[in-house]
Amino acid sequence: MNTDVYAVIIGAGASGIVCACRTAALNPDKKVLLLEKADRIGKKLLVTGNGRCNLTNTNSSDKYYHGEGAKELAALLFQKYDSSYVLDWFHSIGLFTVTEEDGRVYPSSYSASSVLDVLRAELERRQVEIRCGCKVLDIMPTRTGYQVLTQDGAVFTQKLVIATGGKADYAYKESGSQDIFKMLKLRTNHPTPSLSPVSVKSPVTKMLKGIRVKGKVSLFVKGEKVKEESGEIQFAEDALSGICIFNLSRTPNVRRGCEIALSLLPDMSSDEIENELRGRIKKDPSSEIQKLFVGIFRKNIGIALLKSAKISPSAAASSLSDNDIIRLSKLINNWRFETVPRFDMNGAQVTAGGVKVSDIIAEDFEHIAHEGLYIIGEALDADGDCGGYNLQFAFASALCAAERMNMEELL
């Protein structure tokens, strides 16, 4: 391994690769080294967006980010490094993209491998040295830089970039960003799962496993509604899933006293639903109650609603009392599920938590206590919603750090 390089980037995920490419491009006569604990680079990038790689979102703004100081950091970052800036850079290295109606941007091939291919080509073009299967054992700040000790030997660098991602990375067990943070004694917020299914306590989810419905979901914390999303809801054996659930999973994953309310007919009021049900009962009073929902929901959804309302699905429709009908009408748009904190990272796409944003200089992502040390991407306590927002932050922070690092050298 080279013993003296200009910049070492630890972590060859989305932010690390882009930072290495841009740093090398701006410093063609200097050595840039990219270290990765896994056996190859970009492993997590290949599975983003269900393998299609949702690069960014043209609607990116600070409102889609969470964490202490994350909104403020994103707002400042996107003044220059917005989705257009990120896409211009990708286009400059040869990637064709397509933008969908909701602002999501994908490679035109709709394959994450295309993104990794152009990044690999840029790393090679810029002569970035890559070391995979390389575990960092220790990092020691020096008067003029950093001594990085790896299983392959030691290297001295003027600039050190931490792009190790979070615990949601399935390769985390091979090393771990938390180990790196401890080596440098960085202040962090505890890592917790985000963008994941939400575990719930319910007697009906098992019978609904695999069913998908469109609707609106609301998160209640101690009885107060704190967030609302719309989209496809997926039922698992003991959990709720789907993008709209992912976007509100951050809180119920780690807090008790939360509920998720499903609205299955959000465009209808309770009174309108009640009138519809009464009309169906009047039309066929002798039919089983569960048949009231034919043409509205799948059979098991109707049965689960009735069980939740403590109404026998096999009873005759005419046996429903006025209170039963009213209660059922309200339940359809306010179907409550008590959530169960999960804490572990199983199934989580993103890590909430990481290095404290307040310890980062927002203009360049340099750590306030360590000159020449930069923290980017998911290693920071800044996580975004589904829709390309996390990769946008990863790429934008990487480009910002690389370019500002170069400007500092020129001063």
Side-chain angles (χ1 to χ4, degrees), residues 7 17 20 22 47 76 93 107 164 189-190 220 236 240 244 262 285 353 367:
I17 295 173
R22 190 64 178 138
V47 299
L76 183 60
I93 65 170
T164 47
N189 286 325
H190 184 72
F220 289 81
L240 300 174
C244 58
L262 306 186
H367 197 277

Side-chain angles (χ1 to χ4, degrees), residues 329-340:
S329 301
K330 291 181 178 179
L331 180 67
I332 288 171
N333 276 344
N334 190 24
W335 196 5
R336 296 292 185 105
F337 292 81
E338 180 186 349
T339 67
V340 180

Side-chain angles (χ1 to χ4, degrees), residues 144-271:
T144 55
Y146 296 87
Q147 190 80 11
V148 182
L149 179 63
T150 77
Q151 60 193 47
D152 297 330
V155 57
F156 174 80
T157 182
Q158 299 175 50
K159 308 289 185 181
L160 180 62
V161 181
I162 307 300
T164 47
K167 291 183 72 173
D169 184 351
Y170 58 82
Y172 171 80
K173 293 180 181 178
E174 297 176 29
S175 176
S177 53
Q178 301 299 309
D179 296 335
I180 303 292
F181 302 159
K182 290 177 182 177
M183 293 173 193
L184 291 162
K185 298 180 180 178
L186 304 180
R187 297 198 310 154
T188 64
N189 286 325
H190 184 72
T192 57
S194 186
L195 299 192
S196 71
V198 174
S199 297
V200 295
K201 187 185 298 184
S202 170
V204 300
T205 50
K206 188 172 183 178
M207 67 179 291
L208 298 175
K209 182 179 178 180
I211 292 179
R212 304 178 182 216
V213 295
K214 289 287 184 70
K216 185 168 65 178
V217 296
S218 301
L219 174 63
F220 289 81
V221 178
K222 293 185 177 179
E224 180 181 353
K225 184 161 74 171
V226 297
K227 193 170 184 180
E228 188 175 271
E229 293 279 336
S230 295
E232 185 177 77
I233 305 154
Q234 301 173 24
F235 291 92
E237 187 165 332
D238 59 356
L240 300 174
S241 189
I243 290 176
C244 58
I245 297 292
F246 281 16
N247 281 340
L248 50 75
S249 64
R250 196 181 204 268
T251 299
N253 277 341
V254 296
R255 286 191 61 174
R256 302 190 186 280
C258 298
E259 286 184 305
I260 288 179
L262 306 186
S263 177
L264 303 184
L265 296 174
D267 294 331
M268 295 179 69
S269 68
S270 294
D271 288 344

Side-chain angles (χ1 to χ4, degrees), residues 37-92:
K37 65 184 180 290
D39 57 355
R40 62 185 185 276
I41 69 172
K43 289 178 72 173
K44 189 176 179 183
L45 190 62
L46 287 174
V47 299
T48 58
N50 291 321
R52 300 192 304 162
C53 194
N54 185 184
L55 286 164
T56 184
N57 196 302
T58 57
N59 299 314
S60 292
S61 75
D62 59 292
K63 70 179 182 179
Y64 295 106
Y65 295 88
H66 315 282
E68 293 181 13
K71 292 184 185 298
E72 294 78 6
L73 178 62
L76 183 60
L77 175 64
F78 296 160
Q79 287 180 13
K80 177 179 179 181
Y81 297 93
D82 58 6
S83 60
S84 295
Y85 195 98
V86 167
L87 288 174
D88 285 346
W89 183 79
F90 270 105
H91 296 159
S92 75

Side-chain angles (χ1 to χ4, degrees), residues 46 108 172 231 283 294 301 366 368 405:
L46 287 174
S108 58
Y172 171 80
K283 185 176 180 180
V294 172
I301 292 287
E366 188 175 22
I368 59 174
M405 186 192 308

